[in-house]
Amino acid sequence: MDKIISALLSAEPSKLEVDYRSRELPRDYIEPPFALRLDGVSFGKRLSDLPGPRNWGVHRALVVAASDLGKTLGADIVYVVSDEVNMVFERLAPYRGRVLKLISVLPSLLSSRVSLSLGRPLAFDARAIRLYDEKDVARYILYRARVGLNNYAISMARAKGLLSEATPHIEYVVGALGGVDLSLGWGTLIVRGRRVNLCEFLSSRGLC
């Protein structure tokens, strides 16, 4: 766990945010490799009755639905963290890469599956992000994992009364949490149908 936390803490979310936002695409065509990020809409409000700050039951439902959908659509990588599902297409693009189709149909399909699984109406929006190569794919996953860890660790620390109104640097937050299991903070990674340890995946592409 220390190794993956070290890798996540080495990322710089603000710089990665600027980089990847600049690559979000208008409604045209996109060729692999690219990521499709599906974000839960108002999940905090709609799931407020469940124990948090994140919930393993919700996470498992997202993983099952996303894995099944990814398999159907030919996604090479499915990454679930927090209330978001990232599908990475490295070889083939569904719907011939039509961005409008991707950002409308896929969140609809995922929404219906997760809503049925959890027994409540839930929705996702989506965006497509162009990626350059295998290492950039890993860098994108690292970026989303770091954001996931940030949000989860801070929420956990606040719930435990470890933070005041001001939010300190993430290293302090992780240290203050001590031996707390933070694995829900970086979620679940599935590569071509197989669950893969996040650090092993990042290591295979030179990032952990």
Side-chain angles (χ1 to χ4, degrees):
M1 185 176 291
D2 289 343
K3 191 174 181 183
I4 182 62
I5 288 176
S6 177
L8 296 177
L9 295 181
S10 70
E12 297 184 51
S14 58
K15 291 183 179 179
L16 292 167
E17 176 77 5
V18 170
D19 187 4
Y20 286 110
R21 275 198 176 276
S22 71
R23 302 190 216 169
E24 293 181 7
L25 299 172
R27 298 178 179 183
D28 53 10
Y29 288 83
I30 186 170
E31 294 182 357
F34 68 89
L36 191 74
R37 189 163 88 235
L38 301 101
D39 290 294
V41 178
S42 301
F43 265 39
K45 180 178 180 180
R46 295 183 183 276
L47 302 173
S48 60
D49 59 312
L50 300 177
R54 290 183 197 162
N55 182 277
W56 276 109
V58 172
H59 182 73
R60 291 187 192 100
L62 286 174
V63 169
V64 170
S67 178
D68 185 50
L69 185 58
K71 188 182 301 182
T72 300
L73 296 169
D76 295 285
I77 295 171
V78 174
Y79 179 52
V80 180
V81 60
S82 186
D83 63 350
E84 72 179 55
V85 169
N86 293 275
M87 293 188 183
V88 178
F89 297 88
E90 295 186 292
R91 297 173 295 179
L92 298 173
Y95 305 112
R96 296 182 293 115
R98 292 173 58 195
V99 174
L100 179 58
K101 200 84 167 175
L102 292 168
I103 64 175
S104 58
V105 175
L106 270 67
S108 299
L109 292 172
L110 184 63
S111 297
S112 63
R113 294 179 188 217
V114 176
S115 296
L116 286 171
S117 176
L118 293 176
R120 61 187 73 198
L122 295 166
F124 292 83
D125 60 23
R127 67 198 73 193
I129 303 99
R130 175 173 286 120
L131 302 172
Y132 297 144
D133 51 31
E134 281 193 349
K135 188 162 185 177
D136 194 36
V137 167
R139 182 172 175 254
Y140 174 77
I141 297 295
L142 175 64
Y143 157 49
R144 298 316 304 163
R146 172 61 192 271
V147 172
L149 175 65
N150 270 28
N151 295 338
Y152 184 61
I154 290 169
S155 295
M156 285 282 287
R158 289 200 186 285
K160 290 178 177 294
L162 300 175
L163 298 182
S164 61
E165 287 301 311
T167 302
H169 201 273
I170 187 63
E171 280 90 349
Y172 173 86
V173 177
V174 169
L177 288 169
V180 172
D181 180 8
L182 295 175
S183 58
L184 191 54
W186 57 81
T188 299
L189 178 68
I190 300 168
V191 180
R192 295 179 185 170
R194 185 175 66 89
R195 291 199 185 194
V196 174
N197 177 277
L198 179 58
C199 196
E200 289 178 8
F201 171 76
L202 296 174
S203 294
S204 71
R205 301 193 181 193
L207 292 179
C208 186

PDB file of all heavy atoms in Angstrom, residues 145-162:
ATOM      1  N   ALA A 145      -6.945   8.432 -10.292  1.00  0.00           N
ATOM      2  CA  ALA A 145      -6.731   7.775  -9.001  1.00  0.00           C
ATOM      3  C   ALA A 145      -6.313   8.784  -7.945  1.00  0.00           C
ATOM      4  O   ALA A 145      -6.750   8.711  -6.789  1.00  0.00           O
ATOM      5  CB  ALA A 145      -5.681   6.679  -9.139  1.00  0.00           C
ATOM      6  N   ARG A 146      -5.468   9.738  -8.346  1.00  0.00           N
ATOM      7  CA  ARG A 146      -5.024  10.753  -7.384  1.00  0.00           C
ATOM      8  C   ARG A 146      -6.187  11.627  -6.950  1.00  0.00           C
ATOM      9  O   ARG A 146      -6.342  11.948  -5.765  1.00  0.00           O
ATOM     10  CB  ARG A 146      -3.918  11.604  -8.007  1.00  0.00           C
ATOM     11  CG  ARG A 146      -3.510  12.820  -7.169  1.00  0.00           C
ATOM     12  CD  ARG A 146      -2.966  12.428  -5.779  1.00  0.00           C
ATOM     13  NE  ARG A 146      -2.857  13.598  -4.920  1.00  0.00           N
ATOM     14  CZ  ARG A 146      -1.786  14.378  -4.839  1.00  0.00           C
ATOM     15  NH1 ARG A 146      -0.729  14.110  -5.579  1.00  0.00           N
ATOM     16  NH2 ARG A 146      -1.770  15.411  -4.035  1.00  0.00           N
ATOM     17  N   VAL A 147      -7.046  12.015  -7.878  1.00  0.00           N
ATOM     18  CA  VAL A 147      -8.232  12.795  -7.521  1.00  0.00           C
ATOM     19  C   VAL A 147      -9.120  11.979  -6.578  1.00  0.00           C
ATOM     20  O   VAL A 147      -9.654  12.495  -5.591  1.00  0.00           O
ATOM     21  CB  VAL A 147      -9.011  13.212  -8.787  1.00  0.00           C
ATOM     22  CG1 VAL A 147     -10.348  13.851  -8.426  1.00  0.00           C
ATOM     23  CG2 VAL A 147      -8.184  14.181  -9.626  1.00  0.00           C
ATOM     24  N   GLY A 148      -9.277  10.683  -6.889  1.00  0.00           N
ATOM     25  CA  GLY A 148     -10.085   9.823  -6.040  1.00  0.00           C
ATOM     26  C   GLY A 148      -9.528   9.707  -4.630  1.00  0.00           C
ATOM     27  O   GLY A 148     -10.274   9.777  -3.645  1.00  0.00           O
ATOM     28  N   LEU A 149      -8.206   9.540  -4.522  1.00  0.00           N
ATOM     29  CA  LEU A 149      -7.572   9.454  -3.207  1.00  0.00           C
ATOM     30  C   LEU A 149      -7.739  10.753  -2.435  1.00  0.00           C
ATOM     31  O   LEU A 149      -8.063  10.745  -1.245  1.00  0.00           O
ATOM     32  CB  LEU A 149      -6.090   9.116  -3.353  1.00  0.00           C
ATOM     33  CG  LEU A 149      -5.292   9.114  -2.043  1.00  0.00           C
ATOM     34  CD1 LEU A 149      -5.786   8.015  -1.113  1.00  0.00           C
ATOM     35  CD2 LEU A 149      -3.801   8.967  -2.313  1.00  0.00           C
ATOM     36  N   ASN A 150      -7.508  11.877  -3.102  1.00  0.00           N
ATOM     37  CA  ASN A 150      -7.678  13.189  -2.454  1.00  0.00           C
ATOM     38  C   ASN A 150      -9.046  13.293  -1.789  1.00  0.00           C
ATOM     39  O   ASN A 150      -9.172  13.587  -0.600  1.00  0.00           O
ATOM     40  CB  ASN A 150      -7.547  14.312  -3.490  1.00  0.00           C
ATOM     41  CG  ASN A 150      -6.140  14.810  -3.661  1.00  0.00           C
ATOM     42  OD1 ASN A 150      -5.186  14.068  -3.445  1.00  0.00           O
ATOM     43  ND2 ASN A 150      -6.002  16.051  -4.073  1.00  0.00           N
ATOM     44  N   ASN A 151     -10.091  13.081  -2.592  1.00  0.00           N
ATOM     45  CA  ASN A 151     -11.458  13.283  -2.117  1.00  0.00           C
ATOM     46  C   ASN A 151     -11.804  12.313  -0.988  1.00  0.00           C
ATOM     47  O   ASN A 151     -12.444  12.686  -0.002  1.00  0.00           O
ATOM     48  CB  ASN A 151     -12.444  13.131  -3.274  1.00  0.00           C
ATOM     49  CG  ASN A 151     -12.270  14.209  -4.326  1.00  0.00           C
ATOM     50  OD1 ASN A 151     -11.719  15.275  -4.049  1.00  0.00           O
ATOM     51  ND2 ASN A 151     -12.724  13.943  -5.533  1.00  0.00           N
ATOM     52  N   TYR A 152     -11.379  11.059  -1.157  1.00  0.00           N
ATOM     53  CA  TYR A 152     -11.716  10.043  -0.166  1.00  0.00           C
ATOM     54  C   TYR A 152     -10.991  10.293   1.155  1.00  0.00           C
ATOM     55  O   TYR A 152     -11.599  10.250   2.233  1.00  0.00           O
ATOM     56  CB  TYR A 152     -11.346   8.666  -0.703  1.00  0.00           C
ATOM     57  CG  TYR A 152     -11.742   7.521   0.200  1.00  0.00           C
ATOM     58  CD1 TYR A 152     -13.076   7.296   0.527  1.00  0.00           C
ATOM     59  CD2 TYR A 152     -10.781   6.660   0.733  1.00  0.00           C
ATOM     60  CE1 TYR A 152     -13.446   6.249   1.348  1.00  0.00           C
ATOM     61  CE2 TYR A 152     -11.142   5.602   1.560  1.00  0.00           C
ATOM     62  CZ  TYR A 152     -12.472   5.399   1.862  1.00  0.00           C
ATOM     63  OH  TYR A 152     -12.836   4.362   2.678  1.00  0.00           O
ATOM     64  N   ALA A 153      -9.695  10.551   1.083  1.00  0.00           N
ATOM     65  CA  ALA A 153      -8.908  10.765   2.300  1.00  0.00           C
ATOM     66  C   ALA A 153      -9.405  11.985   3.071  1.00  0.00           C
ATOM     67  O   ALA A 153      -9.533  11.947   4.303  1.00  0.00           O
ATOM     68  CB  ALA A 153      -7.431  10.913   1.942  1.00  0.00           C
ATOM     69  N   ILE A 154      -9.701  13.053   2.370  1.00  0.00           N
ATOM     70  CA  ILE A 154     -10.186  14.268   3.032  1.00  0.00           C
ATOM     71  C   ILE A 154     -11.552  14.018   3.665  1.00  0.00           C
ATOM     72  O   ILE A 154     -11.822  14.432   4.803  1.00  0.00           O
ATOM     73  CB  ILE A 154     -10.228  15.443   2.039  1.00  0.00           C
ATOM     74  CG1 ILE A 154      -8.791  15.870   1.691  1.00  0.00           C
ATOM     75  CG2 ILE A 154     -11.009  16.624   2.615  1.00  0.00           C
ATOM     76  CD1 ILE A 154      -8.692  16.830   0.527  1.00  0.00           C
ATOM     77  N   SER A 155     -12.442  13.311   2.949  1.00  0.00           N
ATOM     78  CA  SER A 155     -13.765  12.998   3.506  1.00  0.00           C
ATOM     79  C   SER A 155     -13.637  12.117   4.745  1.00  0.00           C
ATOM     80  O   SER A 155     -14.330  12.320   5.749  1.00  0.00           O
ATOM     81  CB  SER A 155     -14.627  12.292   2.453  1.00  0.00           C
ATOM     82  OG  SER A 155     -14.895  13.146   1.364  1.00  0.00           O
ATOM     83  N   MET A 156     -12.729  11.134   4.690  1.00  0.00           N
ATOM     84  CA  MET A 156     -12.515  10.249   5.830  1.00  0.00           C
ATOM     85  C   MET A 156     -11.985  11.036   7.021  1.00  0.00           C
ATOM     86  O   MET A 156     -12.444  10.862   8.160  1.00  0.00           O
ATOM     87  CB  MET A 156     -11.520   9.151   5.448  1.00  0.00           C
ATOM     88  CG  MET A 156     -12.088   8.072   4.561  1.00  0.00           C
ATOM     89  SD  MET A 156     -13.087   6.871   5.469  1.00  0.00           S
ATOM     90  CE  MET A 156     -11.825   5.965   6.338  1.00  0.00           C
ATOM     91  N   ALA A 157     -11.017  11.904   6.771  1.00  0.00           N
ATOM     92  CA  ALA A 157     -10.422  12.682   7.854  1.00  0.00           C
ATOM     93  C   ALA A 157     -11.440  13.618   8.497  1.00  0.00           C
ATOM     94  O   ALA A 157     -11.474  13.777   9.721  1.00  0.00           O
ATOM     95  CB  ALA A 157      -9.223  13.471   7.331  1.00  0.00           C
ATOM     96  N   ARG A 158     -12.285  14.221   7.678  1.00  0.00           N
ATOM     97  CA  ARG A 158     -13.332  15.099   8.218  1.00  0.00           C
ATOM     98  C   ARG A 158     -14.328  14.292   9.052  1.00  0.00           C
ATOM     99  O   ARG A 158     -14.767  14.726  10.127  1.00  0.00           O
ATOM    100  CB  ARG A 158     -14.049  15.831   7.095  1.00  0.00           C
ATOM    101  CG  ARG A 158     -13.197  16.900   6.429  1.00  0.00           C
ATOM    102  CD  ARG A 158     -14.036  17.923   5.691  1.00  0.00           C
ATOM    103  NE  ARG A 158     -13.209  18.850   4.942  1.00  0.00           N
ATOM    104  CZ  ARG A 158     -12.496  19.839   5.474  1.00  0.00           C
ATOM    105  NH1 ARG A 158     -12.504  20.023   6.782  1.00  0.00           N
ATOM    106  NH2 ARG A 158     -11.780  20.640   4.701  1.00  0.00           N
ATOM    107  N   ALA A 159     -14.720  13.119   8.548  1.00  0.00           N
ATOM    108  CA  ALA A 159     -15.670  12.275   9.275  1.00  0.00           C
ATOM    109  C   ALA A 159     -15.125  11.846  10.628  1.00  0.00           C
ATOM    110  O   ALA A 159     -15.884  11.653  11.584  1.00  0.00           O
ATOM    111  CB  ALA A 159     -16.026  11.051   8.429  1.00  0.00           C
ATOM    112  N   LYS A 160     -13.799  11.686  10.717  1.00  0.00           N
ATOM    113  CA  LYS A 160     -13.163  11.273  11.965  1.00  0.00           C
ATOM    114  C   LYS A 160     -12.799  12.465  12.854  1.00  0.00           C
ATOM    115  O   LYS A 160     -12.199  12.300  13.920  1.00  0.00           O
ATOM    116  CB  LYS A 160     -11.908  10.448  11.657  1.00  0.00           C
ATOM    117  CG  LYS A 160     -12.208   9.071  11.064  1.00  0.00           C
ATOM    118  CD  LYS A 160     -10.921   8.331  10.743  1.00  0.00           C
ATOM    119  CE  LYS A 160     -11.221   6.936  10.233  1.00  0.00           C
ATOM    120  NZ  LYS A 160     -11.828   6.071  11.274  1.00  0.00           N
ATOM    121  N   GLY A 161     -13.122  13.676  12.404  1.00  0.00           N
ATOM    122  CA  GLY A 161     -12.830  14.860  13.195  1.00  0.00           C
ATOM    123  C   GLY A 161     -11.367  15.233  13.237  1.00  0.00           C
ATOM    124  O   GLY A 161     -10.908  15.891  14.181  1.00  0.00           O
ATOM    125  N   LEU A 162     -10.603  14.820  12.216  1.00  0.00           N
ATOM    126  CA  LEU A 162      -9.160  15.069  12.199  1.00  0.00           C
ATOM    127  C   LEU A 162      -8.794  16.386  11.524  1.00  0.00           C
ATOM    128  O   LEU A 162      -7.636  16.795  11.581  1.00  0.00           O
ATOM    129  CB  LEU A 162      -8.434  13.927  11.484  1.00  0.00           C
ATOM    130  CG  LEU A 162      -8.614  12.536  12.108  1.00  0.00           C
ATOM    131  CD1 LEU A 162      -7.959  11.476  11.232  1.00  0.00           C
ATOM    132  CD2 LEU A 162      -8.022  12.520  13.509  1.00  0.00           C
TER     133      LEU A 162
END
